[in-house]
Amino acid sequence: MEFGLTDEQLLLQRTARDFVARTCPVAVAQAWDEAATFPAELFTGMADQGWLGLALPEELGGGGGTAVELGIITEQLGHASLDVAMCFAGCLIPGLTVLRWGTDAQRERYLPAMLRGTGRFAIAMSEPDAGSDVAALRTRAVPGPDGFVLNGQKMWCTGAGLPGTTIALYARTDPSTQENGKHHGLSLLLVDPAAPGVRIQRTPTLARHILGTNEVFLDDVRVPADDLVGELHGGWKVLLSGLDLERVLMSAAYVGVAQATLDEMLAYSKTRSQFGRPIGTFQALAHAMADLQTDIDSARLLAQRAAWLHAHGRPCSRESAMAKLKGSETYVNAARWGMQILGGHGFATDSTMSFRWRESIVATISGGTSQIQRNAIARSMGLRCY
Ligand SMILES: Cc1cc2nc3c(=O)[nH]c(=O)nc-3n(C[C@H](O)[C@H](O)[C@H](O)COP(=O)(O)OP(=O)(O)OC[C@H]3O[C@@H](n4cnc5c(N)ncnc54)[C@H](O)[C@@H]3O)c2cc1C
């Protein structure tokens, strides 16, 4: 049994660590978040490293990497912030969906721009009444001879308002759900946010301000037939195919940001003294940090196992759900302890710990809540679970 990374993977890890230290240490990520700045240079920097094309095939200019290498980069970017890590992972996941399910023309149109860091994707699945139960989505795309006419509303569409973004949007193309079940009759469309009838409105949130989350209103939007990805009415299969990778990469991001959070509180606990000794020597705090490091190592192993299975084309829905669950809950717990160990210093809104804490709240919600991950794991154990 081999637990280590290869020499090439270790080099990639070091390169990503140096990239974060040079371009986006946590203080920079926090400043971007507080100013809601879109750092175009972050994307071009990642493109210069060859990371945005790492998982594309060589004929498209890519590096032929797998979920393992993507996870290594995502974990290191997580040391900057969750949002920085998701700038990388969140854009890649729909890009790889286009690679797998798209036509040659779609691949040629969208993927080279993604590889250069000038083109991005946002995913629009969620709606006001379709969150955890995403298959209940109601946005309607009526197929016609020239393409589709789209009407409805999307919510929480991360990055939809950024320049160079295409919205990968799931809509109902066949409304006869009573007959076939709600998972049938969905399709994936690539929507230009500048198309007539699209209106994007940013949702004020506690954190994740770099990419930003948005409501997307669709009013008689015309989508050309060429912008259908995969089979008409076959969108559920396409959506599921992206979910495992999303959980794998999100769990890597949580591991990175949880480790950075622990590193910060550990360093503080060694220099801050009360009652004549460093606070880290009080057993109550030392044990909490020992438990956190144990949880982070467990989360890392789960994330790496899920990435390895994905890279080898093996089923990993259960394993990626476990990795997402453990990683997100570990990060939330780490941020909570970070606030406690830094005492009043953490509560100051300009502290990096308060930024970690603000960002952590969403980890157990977006990308499928903790309850939904537990449901998936329980079902894989043969339990009926709603
Ligand atoms: C910052 C952010 C970014 C996001 N980015 C995107 C994006 O880019 N694209 C996109 O499509 N969506 C995105 N989302 C949406 C996200 O996926 C949903 O928020 C998530 O799936 C939960 O849906 P909901 O918020 O509607 O909560 P609900 O589904 O209404 O859930 C509310 C509560 O009920 C619980 N619950 C629901 N069903 C069950 C059940 N069966 N068993 C037990 N408990 C249950 C949930 O766990 C939760 O605690 C984002 C959300 C956030 C906050």
Side-chain angles (χ1 to χ4, degrees):
M1 191 178 281
E2 176 56 75
F3 276 105
L5 300 178
T6 65
D7 287 347
E8 274 187 2
Q9 289 165 345
L10 285 170
L11 178 63
L12 181 65
Q13 188 184 52
R14 271 199 304 278
T15 309
R17 191 175 301 147
D18 292 347
F19 178 88
V20 169
R22 213 175 50 250
T23 64
C24 51
V26 59
V28 171
Q30 183 173 3
W32 285 339
D33 178 82
E34 283 169 5
T37 302
F38 165 62
E41 69 275 17
L42 177 69
F43 284 89
T44 43
M46 294 190 298
D48 291 345
Q49 297 290 337
W51 296 341
L52 296 172
L54 190 66
L56 298 183
E58 285 168 11
E59 62 270 22
L60 284 169
T66 69
V68 173
E69 287 76 29
L70 299 180
I72 289 170
I73 297 169
T74 309
E75 180 181 335
Q76 291 308 312
L77 293 174
H79 283 251
S81 80
L82 179 60
D83 216 7
V84 166
M86 294 316 292
C87 284
F88 174 68
C91 178
L92 278 184
I93 295 156
L96 295 177
T97 300
V98 170
L99 175 71
R100 174 163 176 195
W101 299 95
T103 61
D104 285 345
Q106 287 167 346
R107 287 188 202 105
E108 279 159 29
R109 179 163 170 207
Y110 292 104
L111 299 183
M114 179 180 99
L115 192 144
R116 287 194 302 274
T118 52
R120 275 166 287 284
F121 293 97
I123 310 179
M125 298 184 284
S126 305
E127 297 182 358
D129 293 323
S132 298
D133 185 12
V134 70
L137 66 85
R138 290 206 301 241
T139 291
R140 180 82 170 96
V142 179
D146 303 326
F148 302 86
V149 180
L150 197 52
N151 280 287
Q153 183 187 345
K154 293 291 177 182
M155 277 205 73
W156 307 116
C157 188
T158 302
L162 300 179
T165 299
T166 301
I167 304 176
L169 184 146
Y170 290 88
R172 191 161 296 285
T173 40
D174 175 7
S176 60
T177 48
Q178 294 91 334
E179 227 173 84
N180 302 318
K182 64 186 173 184
H183 301 94
H184 293 267
L186 304 178
S187 301
L188 173 59
L189 302 174
L190 296 176
V191 177
D192 177 358
V198 180
R199 187 166 64 84
I200 294 175
Q201 186 174 307
R202 190 130 178 182
T203 305
T205 52
L206 198 56
R208 304 283 315 270
H209 299 139
I210 296 177
L211 288 169
T213 31
N214 304 275
E215 283 180 89
V216 181
F217 299 90
L218 305 142
D219 186 10
D220 281 339
V221 179
R222 296 192 175 273
V223 180
D226 288 349
D227 290 337
L228 167 73
V229 181
E231 283 171 27
L232 182 64
H233 311 320
W236 186 248
K237 199 167 52 176
V238 179
L239 187 151
L240 287 185
S241 76
L243 279 191
D244 287 344
L245 182 63
E246 184 178 19
R247 290 173 183 156
V248 167
L249 296 186
M250 280 182 142
S251 57
Y254 301 143
V255 169
V257 68
Q259 186 67 62
T261 305
L262 175 57
D263 292 348
E264 187 177 332
M265 73 182 91
L266 180 62
Y268 184 84
S269 76
K270 289 178 179 173
T271 55
R272 170 77 177 171
S273 286
Q274 288 294 284
F275 301 98
R277 65 181 63 204
I279 59 171
T281 61
F282 298 129
Q283 197 179 58
L285 306 195
H287 279 190
M289 289 187 279
D291 285 349
L292 279 176
Q293 189 60 69
T294 306
D295 280 344
I296 292 168
D297 281 16
S298 313
R300 185 180 290 108
L301 288 170
L302 285 172
Q304 289 176 340
R305 176 178 72 168
W308 186 90
L309 289 169
H310 190 281
H312 286 79
R314 305 255 287 267
C316 63
S317 298
R318 167 182 163 128
E319 292 78 5
S320 61
M322 287 177 173
K324 204 275 177 187
L325 175 65
K326 182 71 184 172
S328 58
E329 298 207 333
T330 297
Y331 169 32
V332 170
N333 198 25
R336 181 69 195 85
W337 266 109
M339 293 294 280
Q340 194 65 22
I341 288 180
L342 265 68
H345 297 280
F347 197 63
T349 52
D350 61 353
S351 74
T352 49
M353 194 55 79
S354 68
F355 171 53
R356 301 288 195 201
W357 176 80
R358 267 195 298 118
E359 274 208 313
S360 72
I361 304 300
V362 80
T364 54
I365 298 170
S366 67
T369 66
S370 282
Q371 289 72 30
I372 294 302
Q373 306 308 326
R374 287 192 172 87
N375 284 354
I377 297 162
R379 279 192 211 110
S380 78
M381 297 161 67
L383 294 166
R384 285 171 76 90
C385 189
Y386 303 102

